[in-house]
Amino acid sequence: MASSEQPPATAGSGGPDGGSLAGGGETFGDRSLSQGLSVLVGLGLCVTMLGLGCAVELGQLGQQLRRPVGLLLALLGQFVAMPLLAFLLALIFALDEVAAVAVLLCGCCPGGNLSNLMSVLVDGDMNLSIIMTASSTLLALFLMPLCLWIYSRYWINTAVVQLLPLGAVSLTLGSTLLPIGLGVLIRYRHPRAADLLVKISLWSLLVTLVVLFILTGTMLGPDLLAQIPASVYAIAVLMPLAGYAVGYGLATVFKMPPHCRRTVSLETGCQNVQLCTAILKLTFSPELIGSMYMFPLLYALFQSAEAGLFVLAYKMYGRDSYKQDTLGEEEDTDISYKKLKEEEVADTSYGTVTTEEHNSIQMEPTQTAL
């Protein structure tokens, strides 16, 4: 077990093996922009969850519940594979308690809306994508605090873990249910308005992340950003990449078609960084979390870049095979239809119909040699 005798205000002050320099949180907390940043984080999360609710159709939800493959994959990917992956990376890179909690928090988050957008670009299964995002968000209400409690045991004797606000995490998660439910209601009663809100939420996701990155960088200062350990940057690069690979492997184990494998891959690697940012900002004191508030933003940056490379590779090399597979399915249908017609024609060989006069029809049986 890792241990720390430091007081909470300096628990994150660390060295080259993963220190987060939380002492800089004093500057971060004292800036006048801090309160406005909290408001921006909360509004961004509400808009994102509203857009997610607007993308859910009750009919599709009922179909998925009758055959809950998407629900099972969301459970395995988001609350088994990703938390374990975050925990192992924190151990491998020997992160201190503050950095480890930030990484664990991101790994325990549900899927994000970015995966829905990327699934469209790789010709994925949109119904599966939306159901996985929505179901992982609902499951997070119970499983995210549980995963945090389980995996933070390694750092249990440290101040940041002893002060880990699991109740506040659950409260933040519960607050997301209201905009999700409102979005589902809008989709049910006003489908066109729901489509518009989905587009708005996707654009707001991009704008919010850019604004958060700029404001947080300004508030923390270039010196603190430069002092974030290289190990934290390495995890921000490796974690989404490994998530994409694990998701594709899970879909392969379930023998899903290629377009569903691409969907599950993106759903597993894309985390809800808005939720992670909101929890870090709204439930931890700046003196504790310090510059590690930047980790979900770094994760968002690299998960977007890697997903973009995924999309680019698909557009260059995979789209032709996708079209050929679709065309092949249509050709198989035509061949089957032709065979069926030939069999129907062959059945008439047992007798030949000849017409000698307008009112006379004669059946001539075919002779079969014995």
Side-chain angles (χ1 to χ4, degrees):
M1 286 239 179
S3 62
S4 174
E5 301 297 334
Q6 298 171 329
T10 59
S13 301
D17 291 332
S20 58
L21 299 172
E26 295 177 3
T27 303
F28 179 65
D30 292 340
R31 295 293 183 91
S32 58
L33 289 177
S34 182
Q35 187 174 1
L37 190 60
S38 299
V39 174
L40 177 63
V41 168
L43 289 177
L45 181 62
C46 288
V47 173
T48 300
M49 295 297 100
L50 179 64
L52 175 60
C54 288
V56 176
E57 294 186 7
L58 295 178
Q60 296 173 357
L61 184 61
Q63 293 176 2
Q64 291 293 330
L65 291 177
R66 287 191 292 270
R67 190 174 178 269
V69 177
L71 180 65
L72 179 59
L73 287 171
L75 174 65
L76 293 176
Q78 297 297 342
F79 302 110
V80 176
M82 291 303 291
L84 179 59
L85 177 62
F87 175 73
L88 292 177
L89 287 173
L91 291 182
I92 291 171
F93 285 92
L95 298 184
D96 72 356
E97 62 273 13
V98 177
V101 166
V103 171
L104 283 175
L105 188 61
C106 191
C108 295
C109 278
N113 286 28
L114 177 66
S115 59
N116 305 139
L117 177 62
M118 292 300 177
S119 294
V120 174
L121 298 178
V122 297
D123 298 316
D125 188 331
M126 279 307 299
N127 289 338
L128 177 62
S129 177
I130 292 170
I131 290 301
M132 286 188 67
T133 303
S135 58
S136 67
T137 302
L138 296 177
L139 288 171
L141 185 63
F142 308 101
L143 295 182
M144 186 175 176
L146 177 62
C147 290
L148 284 173
W149 181 81
I150 291 173
Y151 288 107
S152 66
R153 298 297 90 191
Y154 185 83
W155 298 274
I156 187 62
N157 292 328
T158 61
V160 70
V161 173
Q162 289 175 352
L163 298 175
L164 185 63
L166 294 179
V169 171
S170 299
L171 182 61
T172 304
L173 288 167
S175 66
T176 64
L177 297 179
L178 181 60
I180 291 175
L182 180 59
V184 173
L185 181 62
I186 293 174
R187 165 62 64 182
Y188 179 72
R189 294 191 175 182
H190 308 285
R192 292 184 179 179
D195 292 336
L196 179 61
L197 287 173
V198 169
K199 295 178 181 178
I200 292 175
S201 69
L202 291 175
W203 281 107
S204 70
L205 165 63
L206 300 177
V207 173
T208 302
L209 290 177
V210 171
V211 173
L212 282 176
F213 200 91
I214 294 173
L215 288 180
T216 306
T218 301
M219 295 169 67
L220 290 175
D223 293 337
L224 277 177
L225 291 178
Q227 293 176 27
I228 294 177
S231 58
V232 174
Y233 286 99
I235 291 177
V237 173
L238 294 174
M239 193 167 153
L241 192 62
Y244 295 142
V246 168
Y248 198 91
L250 280 174
T252 303
V253 170
F254 279 81
K255 298 181 180 180
M256 304 188 79
H259 70 290
C260 290
R261 294 179 190 178
R262 295 191 294 270
T263 302
V264 176
S265 174
L266 290 168
E267 281 293 329
T268 305
C270 289
Q271 300 296 88
N272 191 334
V273 292
Q274 307 98 298
L275 179 62
C276 183
T277 303
I279 292 175
L280 284 175
K281 177 62 180 167
L282 302 177
T283 62
F284 286 96
S285 66
E287 292 78 11
L288 275 176
I289 204 64
S291 61
M292 286 314 300
Y293 175 71
M294 286 294 292
F295 179 77
L297 302 180
L298 292 175
Y299 189 95
L301 176 65
F302 289 113
Q303 81 171 4
S304 302
E306 291 166 6
L309 293 176
F310 187 2
V311 172
L312 181 61
Y314 172 74
K315 297 292 186 184
M316 294 177 63
Y317 303 107
R319 198 165 192 177
D320 291 338
S321 61
Y322 173 76
K323 291 180 178 178
Q324 289 176 1
D325 291 341
T326 305
L327 182 61
E329 291 176 0
E330 294 176 354
E331 290 176 349
D332 290 342
T333 303
D334 292 340
I335 292 172
S336 300
Y337 178 74
K338 290 177 182 178
K339 286 183 177 180
L340 179 62
K341 295 300 292 182
E342 290 174 357
E343 289 174 0
E344 289 178 353
V345 173
D347 289 341
T348 62
S349 62
Y350 289 102
T352 304
V353 178
T354 60
T355 305
E356 295 180 353
E357 296 179 0
H358 292 290
N359 298 324
S360 175
I361 298 177
Q362 180 178 358
M363 177 73 74
E364 296 179 357
T366 302
Q367 299 295 326
T368 303
L370 299 177

